[in-house]
Amino acid sequence: MDDTVAESTTKYYTLEEIRQHNLQTDTWLIIHDKVYDVTSFLGEHPGGEDVMLEQGGSDATESFEDVGHSIDAREMLQQYLIGELHMDDRNKENDKDIFITTSGESSSWTTWLIPALAAAVVGLMYRYYIVEHRSS
């Protein structure tokens, strides 16, 4: 029952709302679908405020994880939590991370050309270094 209460009190923000908060005086970030108002932390951020302002009003998950923040930094982040990204917008923001791949038979010429070129280079190197140098 506690989960239901917590979920009903959670404030959800749309991407459109979040994108409006990208100023030095009003900076929000999305990290793992949670929305943080980090405005008051800008001046204290060890990496400088510019790093955070670049991500202001957008999803900073990748940048946050790339830096490898400490457990302390992750815990500190909780004090700036103001809500979550609206469910309807979660896929929109993550679409940029989707890569289309094919499975099974592929019509791509690179699937056979790259190995063929590699084999040709190895064959030529073998011929030049082994066969040619033996005869001299």
Side-chain angles (χ1 to χ4, degrees):
M1 182 147 181
D2 288 337
D3 290 340
T4 307
V5 172
E7 191 171 310
S8 65
T9 59
T10 301
K11 174 77 172 139
Y12 290 92
Y13 297 94
T14 64
L15 279 176
E16 188 63 34
E17 290 175 295
I18 296 164
R19 287 182 178 138
Q20 294 173 14
H21 299 273
N22 62 356
L23 305 171
Q24 187 172 13
T25 57
D26 182 24
T27 309
W28 290 9
L29 301 174
I30 303 166
I31 300 174
H32 295 293
D33 295 327
K34 297 193 183 307
V35 181
Y36 301 92
D37 181 347
V38 295
T39 309
S40 63
F41 183 67
L42 291 177
E44 300 172 34
H45 187 252
E49 67 182 40
D50 290 340
V51 174
M52 294 182 78
L53 286 171
E54 283 178 15
Q55 302 292 321
S58 67
D59 191 335
T61 303
E62 187 174 341
S63 297
F64 183 82
E65 293 301 338
D66 285 349
V67 171
H69 284 88
S70 67
I71 293 171
D72 289 342
R74 291 171 190 278
E75 289 174 1
M76 182 186 287
L77 190 60
Q78 297 310 309
Q79 67 186 330
Y80 302 103
L81 180 67
I82 58 170
E84 294 188 20
L85 181 61
H86 193 277
M87 296 295 179
D88 292 343
D89 287 333
R90 290 184 185 198
N91 289 337
K92 290 179 189 175
E93 189 66 21
N94 294 330
D95 281 348
K96 65 184 177 187
D97 296 331
I98 296 173
F99 299 99
I100 298 172
T101 59
T102 57
S103 59
E105 293 183 35
S106 174
S107 61
S108 175
W109 56 272
T110 58
T111 57
W112 61 266
L113 182 60
I114 293 173
L117 286 173
V121 168
V122 169
L124 287 171
M125 289 175 62
Y126 174 80
R127 178 168 173 82
Y128 179 77
Y129 287 107
I130 304 298
V131 176
E132 294 294 326
H133 288 300
R134 275 194 191 161
S135 61
S136 10

